[in-house]
């Protein structure tokens, strides 16, 4: 697949780029053993089932930017007879919408292979908590759609019906349902003071279940993109952490520093560089995500929700329920987020692969050594090289 010359040329390209930016431990990189063709073959042979995160893996972390070569990689995995299952923490979309999005991006997935936090939350409320009455939703239409599919009664989706006020008497006159069994908080573009007030009031009743679709995701930049990936990508290299060392011992931060690009100063430099770029970008906007809404209600209620999304193993429990034939030793999770995806894989006891097309980069691993991935790939597309 790749000759040693090509691999060395690729490594040098990364080294030169990193050197120019003053962020890499060059001597350490030179010690890294990379056999791209063998590594890819072993990676593919080792697993029957590939669980994928979506944002930052199948398309950009902004939810819309295509990643070159992904449809070819998915097609190749399907031709090899691999089982592909999508496990996303995105509560802004339903399984139906995701399925349509897959088609738009050039690949297909059956509905039973798609697991989102809205769908799993609805299943959790119905099948685990045995909710039969009303659920108050602080969520958008996609999550409501999932509850509707299961025939679960729900209220609250959309703009709140009462007038915003800080007058205590008017607040006491706001409309409340007296038979709410559960509150579910996810991404809600109609999120408001009134919704916090009502959700917090409902879950102040200890008999009312308090569930969140996901909570790790708190905000992200939208607008013109900053290509962090240029620092470590462009060479088509597969970094392999786990084929051998995971079986022997956890990968320590010192091992990471010695073998894979980074050291503490590199992280500091990268952080400073990114901040300076963000500060000069006037057209970038900070988008609040689900964690903001979940935490707002939790703080007001003085109560923590049960969180369904990654890294909780609840998502995986429902994957296993639908796919009871999974062999965990031959299953790998491919994601872009150490705290969500790699932590999820660690929680459920399967191998993991970090792709560098989303949230986290190689330099971030040393700060999250508990979630060190088994493998690191520049992009999922690299497996089709
Ligand atoms: Mg992601």
């Amino acid at each position: 697949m790749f000759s040693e010359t090509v691999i060395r040329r690729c490594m040098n390209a990364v080294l030169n780029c990193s050197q120019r930016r003053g962020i890499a431990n060059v001597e350490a990189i030179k010690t890294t053993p990379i056999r791209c063709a063998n590594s890819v073959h072993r990676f593919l042979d080792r697993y029957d089932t590939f669980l994928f995160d979506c944002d930052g893996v199948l398309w950009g972390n902004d939810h819309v930017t295509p990643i070159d070569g992904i449809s070819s990689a998915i097609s190749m995995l399907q031709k090899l007879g691999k089982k592909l299952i999508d496990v996303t923490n995105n509560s802004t979309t339903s399984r139906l919408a995701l399925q349509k999005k897959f088609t738009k991006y050039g690949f297909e997935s059956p509905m039973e292979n798609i697991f989102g936090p809205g769908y799993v939350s609805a299943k959790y409320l119905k099948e685990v908590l045995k909710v039969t009455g009303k659920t108050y939703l602080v969520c958008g239409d996609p999550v409501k759609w999932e509850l509707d599919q299961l025939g679960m009664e729900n209220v609250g989706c959309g703009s709140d019906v009462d007038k915003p006020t800080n007058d205590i008497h008017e607040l006491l006159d706001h409309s409340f349902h007296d038979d709410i069994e559960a509150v579910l908080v996810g991404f809600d573009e109609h999120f408001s003071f009134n919704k916090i007030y009502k959700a917090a009031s409902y879950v102040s009743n200890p008999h009312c279940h308090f569930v969140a679709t996901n909570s790790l995701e708190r905000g992200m930049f939208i607008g013109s993109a900053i290509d962090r990936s240029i620092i470590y990508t462009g060479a088509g290299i597969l970094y392999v952490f786990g084929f051998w060392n995971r079986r022997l011992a956890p990968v320590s931060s010192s091992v990471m520093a010695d073998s894979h690009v980074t050291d503490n100063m590199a992280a500091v430099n990268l952080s400073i560089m990114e901040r300076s770029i963000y500060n000069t970008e006037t057209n970038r906007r900070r988008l609040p995500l689900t964690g903001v809404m979940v935490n707002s209600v939790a703080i007001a209620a003085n109560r923590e929700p049960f969180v369904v999304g990654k890294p909780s193993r609840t998502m995986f429990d429902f994957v296993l329920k639908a796919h009871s034939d999974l062999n965990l030793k031959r299953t790998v999770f491919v994601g872009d987020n150490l705290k969500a995806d790699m932590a999820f894989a660690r929680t459920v006891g399967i191998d993991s692969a970090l792709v560098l097309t989303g949230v986290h980069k190689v330099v971030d691993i040393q700060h999250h050594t508990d979630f060190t991935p088994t493998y690191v790939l520049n992009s999922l597309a690299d497996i089709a090289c």
Side-chain angles (χ1 to χ4, degrees):
M1 200 174 299
F2 290 107
S3 69
E4 286 297 326
T5 305
V6 170
I7 293 168
R8 178 55 59 186
R9 198 177 298 149
C10 292
M11 288 177 66
N12 287 337
V14 175
L15 288 173
N16 291 337
C17 180
S18 302
Q19 278 179 297
R20 282 199 303 275
R21 291 165 183 270
I23 60 166
N25 181 339
V26 175
E27 289 306 312
I29 280 184
K30 287 179 180 174
T31 66
T32 304
I34 299 173
R35 295 183 178 86
C36 190
N38 289 340
S39 299
V40 170
H41 283 308
R42 279 194 290 178
F43 181 66
L44 296 177
D45 286 345
R46 194 181 181 100
Y47 302 103
D48 300 323
T49 302
F50 291 73
L51 304 184
F52 292 115
D53 177 42
C54 295
D55 302 321
V57 178
L58 304 180
W59 44 74
N61 200 48
D62 60 0
H63 303 183
V64 293
T65 305
I67 298 173
D68 288 345
I70 294 297
S71 62
S72 299
I74 296 291
S75 172
M76 189 201 68
L77 289 169
Q78 288 171 333
K79 282 178 188 162
L80 290 172
K82 309 294 185 184
K83 178 177 276 191
L84 311 182
I85 300 174
D86 305 290
V87 184
T88 175
N89 253 13
N90 189 334
S91 61
T92 69
T93 186
S94 65
R95 286 170 301 142
L96 182 63
L98 262 181
Q99 198 176 35
K100 290 178 180 172
K101 188 169 180 177
F102 291 151
T103 303
K104 180 181 167 189
Y105 282 77
F107 42 93
E108 305 289 337
S109 177
M111 190 78 88
E112 62 266 27
N113 287 12
I114 302 173
F115 293 81
Y119 169 62
V120 175
S121 294
K123 297 276 281 183
Y124 180 78
L125 287 167
K126 182 167 186 169
E127 297 177 10
V128 178
L129 298 182
K130 310 292 186 190
V131 171
T132 55
K134 287 179 188 159
T135 297
Y136 178 70
L137 294 181
V138 184
C139 300
D141 286 329
V143 175
K144 175 178 170 48
W145 183 85
E146 298 287 7
L147 270 76
D148 290 343
Q149 296 304 300
L150 296 178
M152 299 190 69
E153 193 176 359
N154 60 84
V155 296
C157 189
S159 299
D160 186 75
V161 295
D162 289 309
K163 185 187 81 172
T165 179
N166 64 357
D167 183 281
I168 296 297
H169 300 292
E170 290 180 1
L171 285 167
L172 288 171
D173 282 340
H174 274 190
S175 55
F176 279 85
H177 298 265
D178 56 10
D179 53 353
I180 297 294
E181 280 189 39
V183 168
L184 175 60
V185 183
F187 183 84
D188 186 352
E189 66 272 31
H190 296 289
F191 190 69
S192 66
F193 172 80
N194 278 359
K195 289 197 171 190
I196 301 173
Y197 168 51
K198 293 182 179 181
S201 297
Y202 288 132
V203 300
S204 293
N205 175 354
H207 299 295
C208 180
H209 300 293
F210 183 18
V211 177
T213 56
N214 55 298
S215 63
L216 273 182
E217 296 74 12
R218 297 181 174 185
M220 71 175 187
F221 284 107
I222 56 174
S224 56
I226 292 173
D227 187 9
R228 295 176 65 188
S229 63
I230 193 171
I231 296 163
Y232 294 117
T233 63
I237 289 174
L238 170 70
Y239 296 95
V240 182
F241 292 155
F243 280 111
W244 58 88
N245 55 24
R246 182 162 176 152
R247 299 291 172 258
L248 301 175
V251 179
S252 69
S253 56
S254 61
V255 171
M256 298 304 301
D258 286 344
S259 306
H260 303 285
V261 179
T262 183
D263 56 23
N264 287 332
M265 186 54 71
V268 171
N269 287 345
L270 181 61
S271 173
I272 291 170
M273 183 178 73
E274 286 177 346
R275 277 204 302 275
S276 66
I277 294 172
Y278 286 140
N279 288 341
T280 59
E281 290 276 353
T282 56
N283 60 342
R284 289 174 65 76
R285 300 289 182 261
R286 184 76 176 168
L287 184 71
L289 297 176
T290 309
V292 174
M293 297 151 203
V294 171
N295 281 305
S296 297
V297 175
I299 290 168
N302 195 28
R303 178 180 168 185
E304 291 298 317
F306 178 83
V307 181
V308 166
K310 297 174 288 184
S312 161
R313 71 163 291 125
T314 307
M315 299 271 277
F316 196 65
D317 290 340
F318 281 92
V319 170
L320 282 180
K321 213 168 176 180
H323 302 275
S324 55
D325 58 336
L326 283 194
N327 178 348
L328 300 193
K329 290 184 176 162
R330 293 188 59 79
T331 299
V332 64
F333 194 98
V334 182
D336 69 304
N337 189 312
L338 294 166
K339 290 189 279 187
D341 304 323
M342 305 304 109
F344 178 73
R346 178 69 60 94
T347 299
V348 304
I350 59 176
D351 286 345
S352 59
L354 179 73
V355 293
L356 305 180
T357 46
V359 171
H360 285 128
K361 304 302 176 190
V362 172
V363 74
D364 299 314
I365 296 173
Q366 66 179 331
H367 303 300
H368 303 287
T369 51
D370 286 348
F371 313 136
T372 300
T374 318
Y375 316 99
V376 175
L377 287 145
N378 277 325
S379 165
L380 176 63
D382 287 2
I383 64 172
C385 291

